[in-house]
Amino acid sequence: MRILYVGDTACLPDDLTDYIGDMGDEWKVEFVADGNAAMFAVANSPIDVLIVGPGLPDLPPATLLGQIRTLRPETIRIALLENTEAGVSPPIKLIGVAHRFLPLPLSSETVLEAIHSLEELRDLLDSPRLRRVIGRVEHLPSPPHLYFALTRALEEDDGDSNDIARIVSGDPAIAAKVLQLCNSAYFSNGRAITDLRAAVTRLGLATLRDLVLASEVFSIKTGSNVDRLALQQRALIASRLAARILPKTSAELGATAALLADVGLLLPGVRDEREPVAAEGDERPGHTEAGAYLLGLWGLPMPIVEAVAFHRQPQRSSLRSFWVPGAVHVAGALASNEQVDEDYLKSLGVLHQLAGWREMADSLFDRVASAA
């Protein structure tokens, strides 16, 4: 396992080198000071894990991570974030190119935990069985083009409400669905939203982008017989819950992941993991791993793919802190009136918060019911 750290080593735990050395002779950590040195190192030989500090002297971290993604797509990419206590979300440019975000200060255990969990996810998504099954789907759903167009506009940092409204208006059917959702009990505060510019102002860019995503994804025509309306309603509630459960730094990732958690049910030929296994030898992939695989093909950020893959069985992840996968598990279970894995929450030290999360869910259910 070859690990390359880029940036000021003052950000790192003092015992990181010794800690990694204890993992065995095949584990090695190297250090470079800037992005150009990192590119030179990666170009000359493969790197298993790249860890990028918050400030580089020559390149923005997002630029370096994007270049590494192109040059060595198999490399695990981790970005370190500072000042997360201020409640600021990771920059959107960083979300698209990093597999994991780790807040500073951090421990050596946190670094190793992130590496192990991402390795596990990569192995899951590289399953030949899964590739065969998904490959048999005749009309694989296309990526949500408006969602990605909005993401690109937000990455450019100069998109205003007029630009966003213009992009969404380019697809009248989706625009109509977005306005319908804006005025639903999930998002409305009693005042009607009649145009997309008002929706941007009232809800914010991130929420509007998720509404576009929901409108696109749940309009996909596939051979699945799933009740799309019911699936979308649960997804919207879970999305709102996940955003409230997580701190602001991860709320946007959690909301999007919860919205897409059961997207695999839209694919034909998958096993609905909400139902008991019907027979021995059922080789169909579960809808969570199939959904995660689809999102990986679409190029969604890895934290979202990871949460979708593990949200029904969060203990399968080697992640030992409560983050997006755990929040999506809780939000999805509460939105569907299913059992929450209390042993999992207890192992992470957050079981005492479950009662409060249930109250959040009940409040959302009451709001939706009163508007019906």
Side-chain angles (χ1 to χ4, degrees):
M1 177 66 68
R2 187 180 175 205
I3 302 169
L4 178 66
Y5 174 77
V6 189
D8 185 354
T9 56
C11 296
L12 298 177
D14 294 335
D15 63 345
L16 180 63
T17 301
D18 293 338
Y19 198 91
I20 290 177
D22 291 341
M23 299 296 295
D25 293 339
E26 69 276 11
W27 286 70
K28 183 170 66 172
V29 60
E30 303 170 24
F31 305 91
V32 295
D34 57 51
N36 285 312
M39 287 298 300
F40 181 80
V42 173
N44 279 291
S45 60
I47 295 290
D48 296 299
V49 181
L50 182 81
I51 304 175
V52 180
L56 303 180
D58 55 347
L59 292 175
T63 300
L64 173 61
L65 288 164
Q67 291 176 350
I68 298 297
R69 179 182 61 181
T70 301
L71 183 63
R72 302 282 187 186
E74 72 280 3
T75 297
I76 291 173
R77 302 180 298 275
I78 298 174
L80 305 187
L81 301 177
E82 59 184 353
N83 298 326
T84 55
E85 69 277 3
V88 178
S89 299
I92 192 166
K93 291 182 180 180
L94 210 54
I95 289 177
V97 292
H99 292 135
R100 179 65 58 79
F101 312 99
L102 299 181
L104 294 172
L106 76 164
S107 66
S108 297
E109 292 88 344
T110 301
V111 175
L112 268 294
E113 174 189 286
I115 293 172
H116 284 311
S117 66
L118 288 168
E119 278 190 303
E120 181 179 344
L121 178 65
R122 187 169 59 182
D123 290 343
L124 169 69
L125 298 182
D126 200 35
S127 162
R129 175 182 61 88
L130 194 56
R131 287 203 303 270
R132 284 196 305 271
V133 172
I134 301 299
R136 294 193 193 106
V137 178
E138 290 186 7
H139 301 291
L140 200 63
S142 300
H145 69 282
L146 279 184
Y147 170 82
F148 285 114
L150 290 178
T151 298
R152 287 192 296 271
L154 294 177
E155 286 176 348
E156 292 169 359
D157 295 328
D158 57 0
D160 59 18
S161 59
N162 290 324
D163 295 328
I164 301 304
R166 176 179 49 78
I167 291 172
V168 179
S169 298
D171 189 323
I174 294 297
K177 287 185 173 68
V178 168
L179 285 176
Q180 182 182 30
L181 289 175
C182 287
N183 287 291
S184 70
Y186 305 104
F187 299 96
S188 174
N189 61 2
R191 291 183 295 166
I193 298 176
T194 57
D195 66 84
L196 292 169
R197 283 183 300 176
V200 175
T201 303
R202 187 89 57 83
L203 301 177
L205 293 175
T207 298
L208 183 72
R209 186 177 58 163
D210 277 351
L211 290 184
V212 168
L213 181 61
S215 300
E216 290 190 280
V217 167
F218 293 107
S219 298
I220 292 173
K221 291 180 171 60
T222 65
S224 170
N225 295 320
V226 68
D227 184 338
R228 292 166 183 269
L229 179 59
L231 185 63
Q232 177 177 283
Q233 289 174 340
R234 287 195 302 271
L236 288 169
I237 291 176
S239 178
R240 300 287 280 177
L241 270 175
R244 295 183 184 185
I245 288 171
L246 288 164
K248 289 183 180 180
T249 51
S250 306
E252 184 178 334
L253 285 171
T256 305
L259 189 67
L260 297 171
D262 290 320
V263 69
L265 291 171
L266 298 175
L267 296 172
V270 301
R271 176 173 52 83
D272 186 344
E273 294 178 49
R274 301 171 302 174
E275 304 294 336
V277 178
E280 292 288 337
D282 187 346
E283 296 185 354
R284 294 177 300 165
H287 77 270
T288 55
E289 59 181 351
Y293 187 85
L294 176 65
L295 299 183
L297 291 179
W298 284 354
L300 266 76
M302 190 56 71
I304 293 174
V305 176
E306 179 180 17
V308 170
F310 295 130
H311 80 276
R312 291 196 66 83
Q313 295 177 299
Q315 72 282 357
R316 288 177 59 193
S317 171
S318 58
L319 190 63
R320 290 297 171 260
S321 56
F322 187 80
W323 198 46
V324 178
V328 174
H329 164 69
V330 172
L334 294 179
S336 303
N337 196 27
E338 296 180 352
Q339 186 71 32
V340 176
D341 189 339
E342 295 189 9
D343 289 338
Y344 167 73
L345 297 183
K346 184 177 181 180
S347 71
L348 301 183
V350 295
L351 180 58
H352 64 285
Q353 298 186 56
L354 180 57
W357 295 335
R358 290 190 189 278
E359 290 180 3
M360 290 181 191
D362 290 341
S363 175
L364 275 174
F365 283 128
D366 290 343
R367 180 176 175 180
V368 172
S370 63

